[in-house]
Amino acid sequence: MTVFDDAALDDPAALAGADPILRRLAGAGSRVRRETADADDPLDQLLGQPRPRAVIAAGSEARFIRAILEPVCPVPFVAWPRHGLPGWVGALDLVVVMASDVAPPSVVATVHEAVRRGALLLIACPAASVVADHAGGSSTILLPTATGDPLAAAVVALSALHRMDLGPAVVPDGVADTMDEVARDCSPMADVTENPAKDLALCLADAQPLVWGGSVLAARASRRVAEALRAATGRAALAADADELLPIIEATTSRDPFADPFTDGAAADRRPCLVLLDDGNNDPMIRADHGRLVAAAERADIRVSVVQHRRGSDVDRYAALLQTGMFASVYLSVGLGRAAA
């Protein structure tokens, strides 16, 4: 059994191995600012564009775009997870694609199909990339990206959609400031007693994470955080709705205070820890689910860790929850002596 080393979270030597990924997480705000500045000229082209019949998003962060746009978009919106496009897409529609310089063939196929059908194509990708080569056309608007950060590219795409009156206002500088704030709070230099990411890592040290986010955006963040936790630990980490998590919590037997963590290590590793991502959404159904989960965890003697960010726009709160979870996954890998994911 791998034993979690609490002291490693404040040990410069242990943290040095995770320095590259910690630096990249800390630079998330600056990447948002850079991508936004580089896209100023293309964004100006969007003013006065006619309203499309429908919007189809594909590629990286398409589901995040859907979570932001779907409640307010004045036209039908689809997040398309497959290659190509739905059969009804044509010249009256807008296709939004976010891709890196090594986009998978499915994204390239989607871009090629959008150009072939004459749809308006809004694409965030590096100007020198395979996907950009397939995006050439009179109906293509390229938002050039340079940092390889999918969330930064998504923020630029959301700014573009707002200029087309298809989505809510997004303030990239505000998102960047929020990311900078998380980077300060979760810095490796911040002591474990006042660092929310290190605190979460300690809660998950010997546990199976169960991650819940009540709102659409918090739920999306929960799935991204669970992916990072799986990579950090090699353990199962589940992100799901309250009704799906409750049977797991309720089936967990009470903790044995006399269990030996070394001889009973395998069982201890499988014990759940409930992680609640709270973005301040006060919808009565969400708060009711929150209460049901906490009550069930208390009955089963399951640890509960709350990651909370209630200030700012929807995108600000999503970014804060996601970044805190990402920092926690790195600290978890450090404490377990695993290479940072």
Side-chain angles (χ1 to χ4, degrees), residues 13 25 30 49 52 57 60 79 82 87 97 121 157 174 185 217 250 289 296 323 333:
L25 286 172
S30 66
Q49 285 281 349
S60 173
R82 306 175 186 87
V97 178
L121 177 62
D185 291 344
L217 278 172
E250 292 167 348
D289 283 345
Q323 290 296 101
S333 69

Side-chain angles (χ1 to χ4, degrees), residues 112-124:
H112 177 78
E113 190 67 11
V115 172
R116 187 183 72 81
R117 298 191 197 182
L120 178 61
L121 177 62
L122 178 65
I123 182 164

Side-chain angles (χ1 to χ4, degrees), residues 184-203:
R184 288 192 296 269
D185 291 344
C186 300
S187 165
M189 305 304 295
D191 184 80
V192 70
T193 59
E194 55 188 26
N195 186 318
K198 290 182 179 180
D199 181 67
L200 178 55
L202 286 173
C203 289

Side-chain angles (χ1 to χ4, degrees), residues 58 170 187 338:
V170 177
S187 165
R338 293 169 58 94

Side-chain angles (χ1 to χ4, degrees), residues 208-216 218-227 230 237-249 273-277 289-290 292-293:
Q208 173 192 344
L210 301 178
V211 192
W212 176 81
S215 70
V216 174
R220 178 61 189 153
S222 74
R223 283 157 175 77
R224 293 285 309 279
V225 170
E227 291 171 3
R230 285 193 293 270
L238 175 64
D241 296 334
D243 289 338
E244 296 167 325
L245 294 178
L246 279 169
I248 300 173
I249 295 172
C273 174
L274 179 62
V275 180
L276 303 176
L277 303 186
D289 283 345
H290 184 284
R292 288 195 298 150
L293 287 166

Side-chain angles (χ1 to χ4, degrees), residues 84-299:
L85 290 168
W88 50 264
V89 173
L92 298 178
D93 303 305
L94 169 64
V95 178
V96 182
V97 178
M98 287 148 290
S100 67
D101 54 352
V102 287
S106 60
V107 173
V108 176
T110 298
V111 169
H112 177 78
E113 190 67 11
V115 172
R116 187 183 72 81
R117 298 191 197 182
L120 178 61
L121 177 62
L122 178 65
I123 182 164
C125 71
S129 63
V130 173
V131 71
D133 291 343
H134 284 78
S138 59
S139 298
T140 297
I141 298 174
L142 176 66
L143 304 175
T145 62
T147 67
D149 187 325
L151 184 54
V155 171
V156 174
L158 286 169
S159 298
L161 291 165
H162 172 65
R163 295 203 183 195
M164 299 177 72
D165 295 325
L166 296 172
V170 177
V171 182
D173 283 343
V175 178
D177 289 344
T178 297
M179 289 177 160
D180 289 345
E181 179 185 338
V182 173
R184 288 192 296 269
D185 291 344
C186 300
S187 165
M189 305 304 295
D191 184 80
V192 70
T193 59
E194 55 188 26
N195 186 318
K198 290 182 179 180
D199 181 67
L200 178 55
L202 286 173
C203 289
L204 296 174
D206 60 356
Q208 173 192 344
L210 301 178
V211 192
W212 176 81
S215 70
V216 174
L217 278 172
R220 178 61 189 153
S222 74
R223 283 157 175 77
R224 293 285 309 279
V225 170
E227 291 171 3
L229 294 175
R230 285 193 293 270
T233 63
R235 303 171 189 159
L238 175 64
D241 296 334
D243 289 338
E244 296 167 325
L245 294 178
L246 279 169
I248 300 173
I249 295 172
E250 292 167 348
T252 304
T253 56
S254 297
R255 190 186 303 274
D256 181 0
F258 302 105
D260 187 319
F262 294 97
T263 61
D264 300 331
D269 278 349
R270 290 192 295 271
R271 189 167 185 80
C273 174
L274 179 62
V275 180
L276 303 176
L277 303 186
D278 183 358
D279 65 352
N281 191 309
N282 289 316
D283 180 278
M285 294 185 66
I286 292 175
R287 301 328 296 176
D289 283 345
H290 184 284
R292 288 195 298 150
L293 287 166
V294 171
E298 289 176 349
R299 289 193 298 270

